[in-house]
Amino acid sequence: MNRIILITGASSGIGKACAEKFAAAKDNLIITGRRKERLEILKKELEKKEGIKVFTCCFDVQSREAVFNAIDNLPAEWKKIDLLINNAGLALGRDGFEEANLDDWDTMMNTNVNGLLYMSRAVLPFMIAAGKGHIINMGSVAGKDVYEKGNVYCASKFAVDAINKSMRIDLLKYNIKVTGIHPGAVETEFSEVRYKGDKEKAAATYIGLKSLSGADVAETIFYCAGLPDHICINDLVITCTQQANGIYIFKK
Ligand code: NDP
Ligand code: 8X3
């Protein structure tokens, strides 16, 4: 389709699956993350397989300066961004409020909330100039109901939910769509990051559960991004059939 899609957190999981899905539809991609090598490998793969153009940008979304530098320095032809997918994010730890690590809290808020805000503000001038655009923000079921020991991760995703709603109102006059996507359990590197490399604990999250895959979520995002100009999916919660919300999961 030759749109320009900017995906944050494309080095893994849902973001990588989005890159593969949009590339297969012949969209051109800006893929970002901190792990440069992974981005370069993905760029080569997709350019070869799909015959599209991929631009890689390696930076930490927590840094306001790095975000604005990266976006301001995009070549002019790459600034015509049709869709921003604010996907980069993480959970760190699953600890009670009274014992959780304060650095983990800072990292989650700085990445999931501030990173999304900086990216959106950096890209918006191009969409406003174009008279159209679409921002898809990655929330979570954790941003709809809180669960035990989810405290600050849940808070960061509740913040994303509020930002979706307020962005949508403020950007109406610019013809910019804002969509919140709120997945339940998706089997990616998410749990390994959350449990700080403890593979056994991470794997236990998905035992007895046919959870969502990154590709399942990418399919949904692709659908939202392909609707006619006058239609906007505002908010979408997606879980596997064994999950009702962030609290109730029926494991077999
Ligand atoms: P992964 O860990 O597989 O991927 C996370 C991505 O975010 C990576 O590409 C990582 O890239 C990037 N990222 C993390 N921190 C930063 C940072 N500071 N700066 C730039 N990029 C960063 O997890 P998922 O794919 O599952 O997660 C993607 C999003 O989906 C997150 O926002 C998560 O909260 C959300 N989500 C996940 C669910 C799940 O069950 N998996 C359910 C609901 C929502 P790199 O390390 O290279 O920087
Ligand atoms: C990720 C899903 O349930 O681990 O956002 O919070 S959950």
Side-chain angles (χ1 to χ4, degrees), residues 209-212 238-244 248-250 252:
L209 192 65
K210 179 155 177 47
S211 53
L212 298 173
I238 172 172
T239 65
C240 68
T241 311
Q242 288 173 260
Q243 180 169 20
Y248 293 101
I249 297 185
F250 185 76
K252 288 179 185 162

Side-chain angles (χ1 to χ4, degrees), residues 8-16 32-36 38-39 58-63 86-91 107 110-112 138-142 153 156-157 181-194 205-206 212 214 217 238 243:
T8 67
S11 56
S12 167
I14 298 170
K16 184 171 185 238
T32 84
R34 291 164 302 178
R35 286 170 289 182
K36 192 172 171 31
R38 284 192 181 204
L39 295 176
C58 192
F59 61 89
D60 186 334
V61 295
Q62 295 177 86
S63 161
N86 274 318
N87 163 75
L90 78 174
T107 305
N110 290 338
T111 308
N112 301 354
M138 188 56 65
S140 168
V141 289
Y153 178 64
S156 75
K157 293 299 185 180
I181 301 284
H182 306 275
V186 189
E187 196 163 351
T188 61
E189 292 175 16
F190 176 85
S191 292
E192 226 179 292
V193 172
R194 175 171 231 172
T205 310
Y206 309 106
L212 298 173
V217 181
I238 172 172
Q243 180 169 20

Side-chain angles (χ1 to χ4, degrees), residues 33-237:
R34 291 164 302 178
R35 286 170 289 182
K36 192 172 171 31
E37 205 188 340
R38 284 192 181 204
L39 295 176
E40 291 304 331
I41 292 170
L42 185 60
K43 171 186 160 78
K44 268 194 199 133
E45 269 174 26
L46 296 179
E47 284 185 336
K48 190 170 173 209
K49 184 170 175 220
E50 309 293 356
I52 57 153
K53 289 185 197 141
V54 180
F55 191 90
T56 61
C57 257
C58 192
F59 61 89
D60 186 334
V61 295
Q62 295 177 86
S63 161
R64 190 200 298 192
E65 200 190 352
V67 168
F68 280 86
N69 267 340
I71 303 305
D72 290 345
N73 290 321
L74 284 173
E77 68 271 24
W78 282 102
K79 284 182 172 163
K80 295 173 189 142
I81 296 162
D82 295 283
L83 168 64
L84 164 65
I85 304 177
N86 274 318
N87 163 75
L90 78 174
L92 284 174
R94 184 84 198 254
D95 307 303
F97 188 88
E98 72 290 357
E99 61 187 0
N101 180 306
L102 296 184
D103 290 333
D104 289 350
W105 282 2
D106 285 347
T107 305
M108 287 189 277
M109 294 304 284
N110 290 338
T111 308
N112 301 354
V113 183
N114 290 345
L116 180 148
L117 293 173
Y118 302 152
M119 283 302 303
S120 305
R121 277 297 295 268
V123 167
L124 263 175
F126 309 135
M127 293 185 173
I128 291 172
K132 67 181 170 75
H134 193 172
I135 299 177
I136 296 185
N137 291 320
M138 188 56 65
S140 168
V141 289
K144 297 291 186 181
D145 296 291
V146 291
Y147 53 79
E148 192 184 14
K149 300 183 176 178
N151 44 67
V152 171
Y153 178 64
C154 293
S156 75
K157 293 299 185 180
F158 268 73
V160 171
D161 198 30
I163 292 163
N164 286 331
K165 289 176 184 160
S166 63
M167 251 191 191
R168 192 173 306 113
I169 296 167
D170 293 350
L171 301 181
L172 275 182
K173 60 178 175 290
Y174 299 114
N175 191 32
I176 293 171
K177 302 184 192 188
V178 178
T179 299
I181 301 284
H182 306 275
V186 189
E187 196 163 351
T188 61
E189 292 175 16
F190 176 85
S191 292
E192 226 179 292
V193 172
R194 175 171 231 172
Y195 295 116
K196 303 175 181 177
D198 186 332
K199 287 187 195 298
E200 226 169 281
K201 242 179 169 176
T205 310
Y206 309 106
I207 289 173
L209 192 65
K210 179 155 177 47
S211 53
L212 298 173
S213 65
D216 295 330
V217 181
E219 187 77 41
T220 306
I221 290 175
F222 184 77
Y223 169 77
C224 293
L227 290 167
D229 284 349
H230 69 290
I231 304 175
C232 177
I233 302 280
N234 290 349
D235 209 46
L236 196 150
V237 178

